[in-house]
Amino acid sequence: MIRNGSHAVEEEEDKAEPSSSSHSPEKRKRVIRVWCDGCYDMVHYGHSNQLRQAKAMGDYLIVGVHTDEEIAKHKGPPVFTQAERYKMIRATKWVDEIVEGAPYVTTLETLDKYNCDFCVHGDDITLTVDGKDTYDEVKRMGRYRECKRTQGVSTTDLVGRMLLLTKSHHSNVDNTAYQLHTDNFGKGPKGHSPWTGVSQFLQTSQKIIQFASGKEPQPGDTIIYVAGAFDLFHIGHVEFLETVHKYAKKPYVIVGLHFDQEVNRYKGKNYPIMNIHERTLSVLACRYVSEVVIGAPYAVGKDLLDHFKIDLVCHGKTEVFPDTDRTDPYAEPKKRGIFHFLDSGNNLTTDVIVQRIIENRLQFEARNQKKEAKEMAVIEALKHKEDSLKTEAALTNN
């Protein structure tokens, strides 16, 4: 569903045939410039999917990212710094340009300044500190489009998983205990907002296809393999993958993702925070990644190296845990002389992020409750308006 101003039109996501006008060379000469903006804190595949859908509506995607100060004023403290958030959005493969320190309220002035035809946002609502819709002006002027919000992921949900310390979010574990938690986490006094609340993510082959590049290695490409959990895909991962990508003139980077149970074996606690389906989309959204092996074997053995014709195997500065038989998982690539340790210079790990959340737990819980309370107030106002219109219509008909 895409809404233009107050008009809604149905569209089958990413499957619609080009309109007849798109075949006209004259009309296709003009580049359609699209604007998105947001906090993009703890960037996850929901953010990436919004940007993917927005890019599909035009030709050139500009993304405005708010400062730490603006986010703290309107929502509460962000988990990541603005520098980290800027870099994360630059690494998202559908983004052509970013605007640092974009205003929190989207105006026609901003769209005109960057020569954008319209802005795109998900089908939830973003409110200022005083409860006003940040897209009100562009909606009224017909320069607003809407894309489907990705079900099953939100920053609220991810923070909840870290604090709860259970494994119920893993791909093959019953989620009853986790659901009890999400029913209460950040819940305001008037119940759940459909935008802040948690829902289940269901992976589909279509979603993977939409995120995947679909490109095969070409003659002359250097095929580089890296493996790991890539949990809570973050700036540390991005800078490592960027370093890997720069290691060859024509890189083709394959990321091997370990299954949830394998990650839990060597990481322990409630890791991974994101399950294998979620981690797959997060990694595929990165512009430095060409392909993902879902459920890659922990040991990088002969079969894997030969099957993908791997030229190089790289690992960052994180600890290499032994396999279940206590052997080195990189023994084969080391034997072939194709193994390299690479240092991106970024020491951020998933453990550090979780620690940030735990240390600021009360602030984040308060932020979620404040956000949900504002959303519930809007829902109540909309419901009241709808009821009034129904009553008015009934009186008119009588």
Side-chain angles (χ1 to χ4, degrees):
M1 171 84 74
I2 297 172
R3 290 181 179 83
N4 176 3
S6 59
H7 297 94
V9 289
E10 291 290 339
E11 174 182 278
E12 190 175 0
E13 187 184 333
D14 292 353
K15 295 180 187 176
E17 289 296 318
S19 65
S20 57
S21 63
S22 67
H23 296 294
S24 165
E26 294 79 15
K27 291 194 177 180
R28 288 304 295 164
K29 278 178 187 174
R30 194 175 79 79
V31 172
I32 304 297
R33 292 166 66 88
V34 181
W35 173 272
C36 281
D37 55 28
C39 304
Y40 300 105
D41 193 24
M42 287 186 66
V43 174
H44 49 65
Y45 60 92
H47 295 123
S48 302
N49 196 36
Q50 180 224 0
L51 297 175
R52 180 190 66 79
Q53 292 179 78
K55 179 64 178 281
M57 295 181 198
D59 305 298
Y60 191 85
L61 178 61
I62 302 175
V63 181
V65 185
H66 310 316
T67 62
D68 296 344
E69 185 181 356
E70 280 283 272
I71 296 169
K73 175 185 171 184
H74 293 280
K75 289 180 71 173
V79 179
F80 287 95
T81 67
Q82 58 200 42
E84 291 169 332
R85 292 182 290 106
Y86 297 155
K87 187 127 191 176
M88 282 299 292
I89 294 302
R90 278 197 180 95
T92 304
K93 64 185 180 184
W94 298 285
V95 176
D96 296 298
E97 181 183 335
I98 88 152
V99 173
E100 298 181 0
Y104 200 81
V105 175
T106 310
T107 63
L108 292 179
E109 183 184 354
T110 299
L111 297 190
D112 291 341
K113 181 179 178 181
Y114 296 99
N115 298 315
C116 290
D117 294 80
F118 53 83
C119 73
V120 176
H121 187 65
D123 54 1
D124 54 348
I125 193 165
T126 304
L127 303 169
T128 62
V129 67
D130 51 1
K132 293 177 181 174
D133 183 352
T134 59
Y135 295 98
D136 178 62
E137 182 179 321
V138 291
K139 282 179 179 176
R140 285 189 286 105
M141 301 307 293
R143 290 176 67 182
Y144 176 83
R145 305 286 188 277
E146 207 165 79
C147 62
K148 274 184 74 70
R149 181 175 180 268
T150 305
Q151 292 298 311
V153 65
S154 66
T155 304
T156 304
D157 180 20
L158 295 176
V159 169
R161 295 182 196 184
M162 291 178 227
L163 297 176
L164 189 62
L165 293 174
T166 74
K167 303 176 190 177
S168 302
H169 54 277
H170 292 175
S171 55
N172 69 341
V173 178
D174 176 73
N175 68 353
T176 308
Y178 182 62
Q179 194 57 51
L180 286 173
H181 169 74
T182 59
D183 283 346
N184 293 303
F185 182 74
K187 185 177 180 180
K190 294 188 177 180
H192 275 311
S193 159
W195 303 308
T196 297
V198 178
S199 58
Q200 187 180 8
F201 170 69
L202 299 173
Q203 181 70 287
T204 64
S205 58
Q206 182 64 28
K207 187 61 66 191
I208 293 175
I209 290 166
Q210 288 166 350
F211 271 59
S213 70
K215 293 177 182 174
E216 297 285 335
Q218 300 302 307
D221 284 356
T222 300
I223 303 175
I224 309 174
Y225 182 77
V226 300
F230 290 90
D231 192 18
L232 281 180
F233 193 72
H234 55 70
I235 192 63
H237 297 133
V238 164
E239 294 200 345
F240 168 66
L241 290 169
E242 184 181 17
T243 303
V244 170
H245 195 265
K246 289 177 177 176
Y247 202 62
K249 190 176 285 186
K250 290 181 63 184
Y252 186 91
V253 180
I254 301 175
V255 176
L257 288 179
H258 302 141
F259 277 132
D260 299 342
Q261 290 68 39
E262 189 69 72
V263 175
N264 190 251
R265 176 186 69 81
Y266 62 79
K267 287 281 290 177
K269 298 181 184 175
N270 65 328
Y271 292 110
I273 304 299
M274 282 185 160
N275 66 46
I276 185 68
H277 307 299
E278 298 170 314
R279 291 183 285 122
T280 296
L281 295 184
S282 297
V283 173
L284 281 173
C286 180
R287 66 171 69 251
Y288 307 118
V289 175
S290 305
E291 180 64 288
V292 169
V293 180
I294 304 168
Y298 189 69
V300 183
K302 181 179 182 299
D303 290 347
L304 186 145
L305 294 173
D306 293 344
H307 178 80
F308 291 105
K309 299 182 173 62
I310 305 296
D311 298 305
L312 294 171
V313 175
C314 298
H315 188 84
K317 291 298 181 180
T318 55
E319 183 180 356
V320 177
F321 296 93
D323 203 349
T324 49
D325 59 2
R326 311 304 299 166
T327 58
D328 181 357
Y330 292 114
E332 183 64 24
K334 286 178 180 177
K335 180 180 158 187
R336 297 188 184 195
I338 61 170
F339 181 78
H340 297 266
F341 275 113
L342 293 183
D343 185 2
S344 69
N346 189 312
N347 296 319
L348 185 68
T349 64
T350 304
D351 291 322
V352 172
I353 294 167
V354 172
Q355 200 55 42
R356 283 187 193 181
I357 296 291
I358 290 170
E359 286 172 1
N360 295 284
R361 171 179 183 150
L362 294 178
Q363 279 183 296
F364 289 121
E365 287 187 344
R367 183 182 82 172
N368 289 330
Q369 288 177 354
K370 180 180 170 185
K371 178 173 179 280
E372 191 154 28
K374 284 196 295 182
E375 290 170 355
M376 288 303 296
V378 170
I379 290 168
E380 288 293 320
L382 290 172
K383 187 174 182 299
H384 179 72
K385 185 178 179 181
E386 188 181 334
D387 290 343
S388 297
L389 288 172
K390 283 180 181 176
T391 304
E392 192 178 310
L395 290 171
T396 303
N397 291 333
N398 290 334

